[in-house]
Amino acid sequence: MDYKRYIAERIRIDGVSADEIAENLSVPPDPAMGDYALPCFKFAKILRKSPVAIAEQLKNEFPVGGAVEEASAVNGYLNFRIDKKQLAEEVLERILSQKDRYGASDEGAGKTVCIDYSSVNIAKPFHIGHLSTTVLGGALYRIFNFLGYKAVGINHLGDYGTQFGKLICAYKHWGNREEVEKGGIHAINDLYVKFNNEATEEMEKEAREYFRLIESGDKEANDLFEWFKELTLSYVKTIYDKLHITFDSYAGERFYTDKMQPVVDELKEKGLLKESEGAKIVDLEQYGMPPCLILRSDGASLYATRDLAAAIYRKNTYDFYKCLYVVAYQQNLHFKQVFKVLDLMDKEWAKDLVHVAYGMVSLEDGAMSTRKGKVVWLEDVIKKCVEKAYAVIDEKNPALENKAEVAEKVGVGAVTFGALYNNKIKDIVFSYDKALSFEGETSVYVQYTCARARSVLEKAAAEGYARGGSIKPCASEAELVKSLDGFPAAVRAAAENYEPSCIARFAVDCAQKFNKFYIDCKILQAGEAERAFRLSLTEAALHALTNALTLLGIGVPEKM
């Protein structure tokens, strides 16, 4: 039941709709004040009364009974207590009937959401700076599918540019196939670094020629490029598999080579393309932005050219409802420019393009990515987290079976959760010890709570105890029910705000409420009616927490 709607429809204020009343209903910070509160200050001008008088009048007029068991007026607020028994019955029935679909909906049916994320560079290993775009995009992909949308995951590969000419040149001078096959992506990266450090002027000239050969379709140059690409994708797939990341398209920058000229032609036809110092630009000064560079003075295309072509291709191919770009906040201006140029091209769908910006990730020692010369490979972060998780699990539960499998889920989950728990725009300092703590706001805490709930249910099943029943919940039970009831809203908020942290925070809150219930209330030792209800509540919590972690891309060990 939508309790806000239920309450709002039973309040009568002249000139104020039920929708507006529902929007103003909130959850008080202190549960002792009630379950929902309506601040009456906003209505003082309309009704020409003090908020205190309005709250008192509305309290006297409200039809208590049914879902609301009490209404009270306190300092200009109208507070409501809902019937906890009815709420518990309704929430538990909903969760236990829907199970792994609890929180899902069909609200997005018939709508496609394109999500551009991860976007790895060919011939370069994954560093920790790629973590946020990868897990944030992956979470949004699962969330939108869960809500009935058709999500299209796009890995816009960085596979275009003079660096590939440099790489071929380096390989020709210093590499051999056997060593590169053996060393994979790191061997390729070593060649690229060696070129940047040791290349002569003659080699730089060779590199430019090799890139020209790639563009002109030369077989040898393109065969080498495709080999580097194959080695890169083989490498990144191992990381994607660990992080539960999938894509529907790997169309990268190179894919749009033959799709850029029509964009340039259209800009010219619409009078948007101007010349500036030999380059071709779209002037955005009147919109408070520097010009958007379309072609360099030598005629070469740029990121903006390819992104314009990509946006048009995606609209024509997928007819998207929204197209999301999960890219760091440093690219804010770039996307503002691209979206504005599309708007000026009369693409009415330009309003449906969204830059999902996020902050940067660093380790506690300040190491981040190649920008500061401190390269931290993501595979090394994951490996270290899994190793530390194994050590913690081995210490806490040395007899646990499948410790390596559990450590993998715990370690990888800690890396993912560390990037998703806070608001996406915040910079993140990743701490191994904090991420792997069994207490606090961590995925390990939530995973352990799931294992605890499953253990209770397994013991109950072994004893043949039944689930079900209906009782008036105590305070701890009622708080857990309320938390569980909030999961669908958390999923919707995550989609509406492109903010998976809504689900991560739900998971921590729900786990905290479950553990308080677990400590405060005997479950297996309770009387028959209480035990049956508490077992149902335990099962419901396990479903909701499992669904939350799954949407975030985090595995749920059966035992810990």
Side-chain angles (χ1 to χ4, degrees):
M1 179 187 292
D2 185 340
Y3 285 91
K4 283 189 177 182
R5 190 77 202 175
Y6 178 92
I7 293 168
E9 288 175 349
R10 284 156 180 77
I11 296 174
R12 298 285 180 266
I13 303 175
D14 289 341
V16 182
S17 68
D19 288 340
E20 192 174 351
I21 293 171
E23 285 174 11
N24 281 279
L25 281 164
S26 60
V27 177
D30 181 359
M33 297 165 68
D35 299 303
Y36 293 98
L38 178 69
C40 296
F41 308 93
K42 187 174 181 178
F43 312 123
K45 192 172 182 181
I46 299 171
L47 301 179
R48 296 182 181 178
K49 291 182 181 179
S50 72
V52 172
I54 294 170
E56 190 66 33
Q57 178 186 333
L58 294 177
K59 180 204 79 170
N60 294 333
E61 294 173 353
F62 192 87
V64 172
V68 176
E69 61 182 16
E70 181 187 348
S72 61
V74 181
N75 298 328
Y77 285 85
L78 182 58
N79 297 332
F80 301 92
R81 290 189 190 284
I82 58 177
D83 185 320
K84 303 296 190 296
K85 183 178 179 183
Q86 181 176 322
L87 174 64
E89 289 172 355
E90 192 261 324
V91 171
L92 293 185
E93 191 282 327
R94 191 154 29 100
I95 298 175
L96 298 179
S97 63
Q98 296 174 358
K99 297 184 178 178
D100 63 355
R101 294 297 296 164
Y102 177 58
S105 77
D106 60 359
E107 65 184 63
K111 297 176 181 176
T112 297
V113 176
C114 291
I115 310 173
D116 177 333
Y117 58 106
S118 197
S119 301
V120 293
N121 293 314
I122 296 302
K124 289 186 180 178
F126 242 124
H127 59 67
I128 195 172
H130 288 111
L131 174 62
S132 290
T133 175
T134 303
V135 299
L136 179 56
L140 291 172
Y141 180 84
R142 286 182 290 272
I143 290 164
F144 277 104
N145 276 326
F146 199 59
L147 292 175
Y149 295 85
K150 177 178 172 49
V152 178
I154 300 171
N155 197 329
H156 187 72
L157 299 173
D159 58 1
Y160 189 93
T162 54
Q163 68 267 32
F164 298 110
K166 293 178 180 180
L167 185 57
I168 291 174
C169 183
Y171 174 73
K172 286 280 195 178
H173 279 269
W174 303 304
N176 73 70
R177 195 171 188 94
E178 187 179 341
E179 285 182 5
V180 171
E181 286 281 4
K182 185 179 177 182
I185 190 72
H186 291 290
I188 298 172
N189 188 65
D190 289 344
L191 285 172
Y192 184 68
V193 170
K194 186 177 176 71
F195 181 93
N196 285 328
N197 290 334
E198 301 179 22
T200 63
E201 191 174 323
E202 185 59 32
M203 288 175 70
E204 291 281 1
K205 189 176 175 183
E206 277 181 48
R208 288 192 292 274
E209 175 60 16
Y210 278 122
F211 179 57
R212 189 193 68 77
L213 288 171
I214 292 173
E215 287 192 302
S216 63
D218 178 78
K219 186 177 186 308
E220 184 192 16
N222 277 281
D223 284 349
L224 282 171
F225 172 81
E226 290 300 329
W227 177 46
F228 296 147
K229 182 175 178 178
E230 183 184 312
L231 289 172
T232 304
L233 292 181
S234 175
Y235 155 79
V236 298
K237 188 178 185 303
T238 62
I239 295 176
Y240 289 145
D241 287 346
K242 285 180 184 294
L243 296 173
H244 308 290
I245 300 295
T246 56
F247 296 95
D248 302 292
S249 167
Y250 281 85
E253 292 182 74
R254 197 169 180 226
F255 177 77
Y256 299 101
T257 302
D258 62 350
K259 298 170 181 62
M260 291 184 283
Q261 190 57 47
V263 175
V264 175
D265 292 342
E266 186 175 347
L267 288 168
K268 195 179 298 180
E269 286 167 17
K270 292 184 173 174
L272 295 169
L273 205 62
K274 297 182 178 179
E275 189 165 321
S276 175
E277 298 178 9
K280 295 292 191 294
I281 65 161
V282 175
D283 187 1
L284 300 176
E285 185 179 358
Q286 63 180 305
Y287 305 104
M289 288 181 270
C292 183
L293 195 55
I294 303 298
L295 295 173
R296 288 196 311 224
S297 56
D298 62 1
S301 62
L302 294 109
Y303 286 119
T305 330
R306 295 188 282 279
D307 277 342
L308 290 168
I312 292 169
Y313 173 83
R314 290 170 190 174
K315 184 61 181 179
N316 291 338
T317 304
Y318 304 110
D319 190 24
F320 54 73
Y321 164 71
K322 296 284 182 186
C323 182
L324 314 182
Y325 297 80
V326 186
V327 183
Y329 63 71
Q330 285 89 340
Q331 297 299 316
N332 282 354
L333 175 60
H334 168 77
F335 284 107
K336 281 182 183 177
Q337 289 177 309
V338 169
F339 298 169
K340 190 63 196 175
V341 170
L342 288 164
D343 179 43
L344 294 173
M345 293 173 74
D346 298 323
K347 309 297 183 188
E348 55 83 22
W349 46 265
K351 67 184 187 314
D352 302 322
L353 304 174
V354 181
H355 175 206
V356 181
Y358 59 84
M360 303 308 288
V361 179
S362 62
L363 299 182
E364 286 180 301
D365 63 359
M368 193 169 166
S369 67
T370 50
R371 284 192 310 113
K372 293 185 178 179
K374 291 184 175 182
V375 183
V376 180
W377 305 128
L378 183 54
E379 64 196 280
D380 292 338
V381 174
I382 293 173
K383 182 181 177 184
K384 187 173 179 180
C385 230
V386 171
E387 289 172 350
K388 283 180 170 286
Y390 188 94
V392 172
I393 291 165
D394 190 44
E395 180 185 340
K396 288 184 175 289
N397 191 357
L400 180 68
E401 294 180 6
N402 304 319
K403 274 186 282 192
E405 183 183 327
V406 174
E408 181 83 9
K409 288 181 178 178
V410 170
V412 174
V415 174
T416 297
F417 199 82
L420 294 179
Y421 183 70
N422 290 306
N423 184 291
K424 62 181 180 289
I425 204 63
K426 288 185 177 179
D427 288 339
I428 299 163
V429 178
F430 185 83
S431 161
Y432 291 103
D433 292 337
K434 288 178 183 175
L436 290 167
S437 172
F438 274 67
E439 298 176 359
E441 299 163 342
T442 67
S443 57
V444 187
Y445 176 70
V446 181
Q447 288 170 319
Y448 183 71
T449 303
C450 289
R452 170 177 271 180
R454 193 183 299 278
S455 175
V456 171
L457 295 171
E458 287 177 354
K459 287 176 185 175
E463 295 294 330
Y465 293 144
R467 302 172 202 174
S470 177
I471 63 171
K472 182 164 184 176
C474 69
S476 296
E477 292 165 332
E479 283 301 301
L480 176 55
V481 168
K482 247 170 85 175
S483 179
L484 292 171
D485 187 37
F487 181 57
V491 176
R492 287 195 303 275
E496 288 169 7
N497 301 300
Y498 315 112
E499 192 62 88
S501 65
C502 297
I503 294 174
R505 290 182 180 279
F506 160 83
V508 169
D509 175 75
C510 186
Q512 289 170 342
K513 299 291 196 311
F514 176 83
N515 286 312
K516 187 171 190 316
F517 150 74
Y518 179 87
I519 292 167
D520 291 351
C521 305
K522 292 179 179 177
I523 301 177
L524 299 183
Q525 297 78 26
E528 187 175 347
E530 287 84 1
R531 182 177 63 221
F533 170 76
R534 289 169 184 170
L535 286 172
S536 290
L537 187 52
T538 299
E539 183 183 354
L542 178 58
H543 284 306
L545 288 172
T546 299
N547 290 357
L549 289 177
T550 301
L551 286 176
L552 298 176
I554 296 172
V556 185
E558 293 193 0
K559 294 182 180 178
M560 283 178 70

